[in-house]
Amino acid sequence: MHDGLTLPWADSYCCQVVDWGRPEAVPDSSDSFLLARSPSTQLSTVRAVVMVALRSPDGKMLGALMGAHSTPVPDVERHLPAIRRQAALLGALLRHELSAQQESRREQNPDAEFTDLLTGLANRRAWDDALRAEDARAARYASSAAVLVLDIDGLRRVNAGAGHTSGDDLLITTAAVLSGRMRSVDFVARIGGDEFGVLMPETTAEEAGTVMGDLRKMLTSAGISASFGIGQRRSNTGLPAAWRAADVEMYADKLQAAGRRIPRQTAVPVEGEERPAPADQKDKEPYTGPERRKDRRRSAEEITAAEEIEAAAAALAGSNSIDPGEQIEKEGQEAVVAVAAVLGRRLTSVDALLQLAKDQLGMEVAFLGTFEGTTGQQRVRNLIASVAVPLVVGQLQPVDDTYCKAITDGRMQVVIPDTAKDPLARAMAVTRDLNIGSHVGVPLHRRDGRLYGTLCTWSTGPDEALRERDADVLRAIGNVVMDLVDMEDRTERDRHKMLDRMDRLMANGGPGVVFQAVHALEGLDTVGVEALSRFPVGSGRPDEWFTSATRAGVGLELELAAVRNALTILPALRGFLGINVSPRTLVSPAFGRLVTKLPLKSIVIEVTEHEAVDDYDALNDVLRPWRERGMRIAVDDAGAGFASMRHVLTLVPDFIKLDISLVRGIDTDPAKRALAGALAAFAQKIGSSVIAEGIETAAELSVLRGLKVEFGQGYHLSLPGPLADEMRKDDEVVPEPA
């Protein structure tokens, strides 16, 4: 076996363990037909195997922890409890790492040095960095990734004929289309004069093809012709080769569009590249064009309207109705409980690794100490102990008389089985103060080689079984510790950066506001507007701003500033004003002070599904007096997930807003029409109205009218912008917001 090796899941013994309940421990593979025939054990001489599933705390399958030996191990089963415990810790840690890596992608916001000034997208330098970073992530976690490139057709002719200003407009429009279509985890860049690139983590070639089809239609609608290419990351070539393959395919597409009869499939392949087969992506964030599955619902007479909608949504998303929590094995649950009982508190990621190091080496204490610059002190960053020690997290102490200093200076061995037999350890006061009987410690360095601190484990008694291999184990764990330390430090730096950005934004009056009209689909009269926040050009999308602000602890402040700026148009508004407000902000006293004195009949609060509601009763208690005074409630993004349906059933809103992913292409997708129709019928039964978001074509509008959807908004009807004249009034004065 070797790093990066990929095997079919169905052929692995791990599949037998996870899917079919085969034994986790096999003392002798010659006694197990299934193990003997597994390619994962045929690749080398394997006689004994331990295979334990790695699951996240919520039960999601992440991988497997496997141990193998070249000779039979008769008592291998006795090690299972400890291995399950390690698997539970590693599962929690891996899930944390994956989440942190995904957040890191979302938070990537290139500064001026990495930004294309014309379009506001990332530039070529940022693209190169992102490609390298994502390639490393994909290799580490064995995840898929795809690259999409596009080149605007005829840009030089536009520049020559109509001038560079017109050409610039094409580039800016293309950038806007790309930014509007892609997910928050995708990376979009202008990588050449008329060429753009999109890096899509955890994406197959099939999914990338769906995105390409959408972008081609959207650009064509905007009057822009472009050529496209797709490359899928392969484990033996990486993302740079995928980019090259995408570029070759894009050039073939350009020649074909110019009249050269070159079929797309004859594009010259990059060495080592293969056209990948479609992969199952049901556990990943969907784009569009979901998997069609056999409809197993009962008849409409047998279920309620709400159940029918839920079933239709499940069919649309291709989701599995099995609760992931039910899939957690009993042993895994017991392991997680045991870990929690030992630690007595919620683990941080570094703490989890220290616990793993302590258990792996059979020690009583694991300690991460950092050197504080030139102050000559050491700080206790993390500490895990099963015995009493006179140390606390955050404590500063002189570094001179410490094992850490002696190890980094090279004066002390990294492995000391018995401190009483080591002259240096025996002479140090810290040996007596901390009651150190045996010790293993290794220095830790930053990626640039700078000394960071030490990772140490010790016990109160001697342990003659300690060997140099134990130091190797600690070094391996230390490498991962430093990855997480760097990640946590970067998160803290990002938080301070966001706070600085907030200061500058608020000093300039807060978020800008544009308004998108809401139309009655019959007659297309404007009945209200939705306020949309806007931020400085090139500083990130609105959702990125709000997410980063929440992560930095200033989400409420930013949201209230956006609401306050939107409410300033109430005195001039004819019709209603829709404002997006999170459930957490709705129940805050600050929001109550902001709206209490306003004409609530003119306000529609749009509640999104992106934030969980912990207490619907409390939310309804807050909303009730406002709704009695005329405030109306809309549930946003209906059809995009089950959280929005719970909002609908619990809040009983005045408006249900169909998510753009449900509206886009509804004229050609029967599943989308079925779900939209069910939602419209359900809304009528509970006295609500439906607003369709993102209507882009006349065909979509026609279908929605046929489904009895009453209201809609989208680029086909009107664009966001300043308050339109037809929505202004001059005969009524409304109090300014408090």
Side-chain angles (χ1 to χ4, degrees), residues 664-684:
R664 181 178 291 146
I666 194 172
D667 54 308
T668 60
D669 194 320
K672 291 183 178 182
R673 290 198 297 274
L675 179 53
L679 280 167
F682 175 69
Q684 186 177 19

Side-chain angles (χ1 to χ4, degrees), residues 402-465:
T402 64
Y403 281 34
C404 299
K405 177 66 171 173
I407 289 172
T408 56
D409 288 347
R411 294 182 289 117
M412 177 175 280
Q413 298 295 319
V414 294
V415 179
I416 305 177
D418 187 349
T419 57
K421 298 178 181 179
D422 185 282
L424 178 58
R426 188 172 61 246
M428 296 177 69
V430 69
T431 303
R432 297 183 295 276
D433 294 342
L434 298 181
N435 193 20
I436 302 176
S438 53
H439 187 275
V440 180
V442 295
L444 300 178
H445 294 84
R446 295 277 193 184
R447 290 183 181 275
D448 59 6
R450 288 179 297 133
L451 180 64
Y452 176 77
T454 54
L455 175 61
C456 300
T457 63
W458 72 83
S459 288
T460 56
D463 185 354
E464 296 294 346

Side-chain angles (χ1 to χ4, degrees), residues 283-346:
D283 291 330
K284 297 177 182 175
E285 183 179 358
Y287 285 105
T288 55
E291 175 186 358
R292 308 292 176 83
R293 294 195 173 188
K294 183 178 180 181
D295 187 359
R296 298 174 181 171
R297 293 179 294 160
R298 293 168 287 164
S299 65
E301 293 76 18
E302 297 178 33
I303 55 178
T304 65
E307 287 174 328
E308 183 177 4
I309 293 169
E310 193 168 285
L316 179 64
S319 63
N320 193 325
S321 61
I322 298 175
D323 183 355
E326 296 177 359
Q327 299 177 1
I328 305 177
E329 296 179 0
K330 181 179 179 182
E331 293 84 355
Q333 293 174 324
E334 293 172 348
V336 173
V337 171
V339 170
V342 169
L343 299 180
R345 62 185 175 86
R346 183 178 178 86

Side-chain angles (χ1 to χ4, degrees), residues 25 81 235 255 264 351 459 519 649 657 667 678 722 734:
S235 61
L255 292 177
R264 293 180 60 84
D351 283 338
S459 288
H519 302 269
L649 295 173
K657 301 193 72 174
D667 54 308
V734 181

Side-chain angles (χ1 to χ4, degrees), residues 93-378:
L93 173 63
L94 183 57
R95 184 58 186 166
H96 174 89
E97 283 195 77
L98 291 171
S99 298
Q101 293 285 8
Q102 194 160 358
E103 287 184 6
S104 176
R105 296 189 193 109
R106 292 191 177 102
E107 291 174 357
Q108 286 175 352
N109 180 33
D111 55 24
E113 186 180 3
F114 298 92
T115 302
D116 174 56
L117 297 181
L118 176 64
T119 63
L121 298 177
N123 61 16
R124 170 63 187 272
R125 181 175 179 181
W127 169 261
D128 291 341
D129 289 346
L131 211 65
R132 285 192 295 269
E134 187 55 39
D135 198 40
R137 291 187 187 112
R140 180 170 187 174
Y141 300 115
S143 59
S144 58
V147 173
L148 179 149
V149 295
L150 68 92
D151 188 280
I152 299 176
D153 296 330
L155 181 62
R156 291 183 181 178
R157 291 195 301 272
V158 173
N159 287 334
H164 284 278
T165 299
S166 297
D168 288 348
D169 289 342
L170 285 180
L171 292 168
I172 293 170
T173 302
T174 301
V177 170
L178 287 171
S179 298
R181 173 61 183 84
M182 305 313 300
R183 306 169 300 176
S184 60
V185 297
D186 299 325
F187 191 88
V188 184
R190 182 185 176 197
I191 55 180
D194 53 0
E195 186 177 350
F196 295 80
V198 181
L199 174 58
M200 294 178 283
E202 300 181 6
T203 303
T204 65
E206 183 181 39
E207 290 173 318
T210 299
V211 177
M212 183 180 71
D214 288 348
L215 290 173
R216 195 185 293 273
K217 292 177 183 177
M218 294 170 71
L219 288 173
T220 300
S221 298
I224 299 173
S225 173
S227 301
F228 292 80
I230 295 170
Q232 174 75 50
R233 182 187 185 277
R234 308 296 291 171
S235 61
N236 61 330
T237 54
L239 278 173
W243 182 16
R244 292 194 297 270
D247 188 75
V248 170
E249 187 169 304
M250 182 267 291
Y251 184 69
D253 189 40
K254 185 174 288 291
L255 292 177
Q256 186 179 40
R260 302 276 295 277
R261 298 294 182 179
I262 301 179
R264 293 180 60 84
Q265 60 267 30
T266 63
V268 180
V270 175
E271 183 179 356
E273 279 296 293
E274 300 176 4
R275 174 63 61 194
D280 184 9
Q281 293 280 312
K282 67 181 180 181
D283 291 330
K284 297 177 182 175
E285 183 179 358
Y287 285 105
T288 55
E291 175 186 358
R292 308 292 176 83
R293 294 195 173 188
K294 183 178 180 181
D295 187 359
R296 298 174 181 171
R297 293 179 294 160
R298 293 168 287 164
S299 65
E301 293 76 18
E302 297 178 33
I303 55 178
T304 65
E307 287 174 328
E308 183 177 4
I309 293 169
E310 193 168 285
L316 179 64
S319 63
N320 193 325
S321 61
I322 298 175
D323 183 355
E326 296 177 359
Q327 299 177 1
I328 305 177
E329 296 179 0
K330 181 179 179 182
E331 293 84 355
Q333 293 174 324
E334 293 172 348
V336 173
V337 171
V339 170
V342 169
L343 299 180
R345 62 185 175 86
R346 183 178 178 86
L347 290 174
T348 68
S349 56
V350 174
D351 283 338
L353 278 174
L354 262 63
Q355 178 71 41
L356 180 63
K358 185 175 78 71
D359 292 347
Q360 188 70 32
L361 272 62
M363 294 295 203
E364 296 171 333
V365 181
F367 164 86
L368 174 58
T370 64
F371 297 141
E372 298 295 304
T374 59
T375 64
Q377 291 184 306
Q378 180 189 51

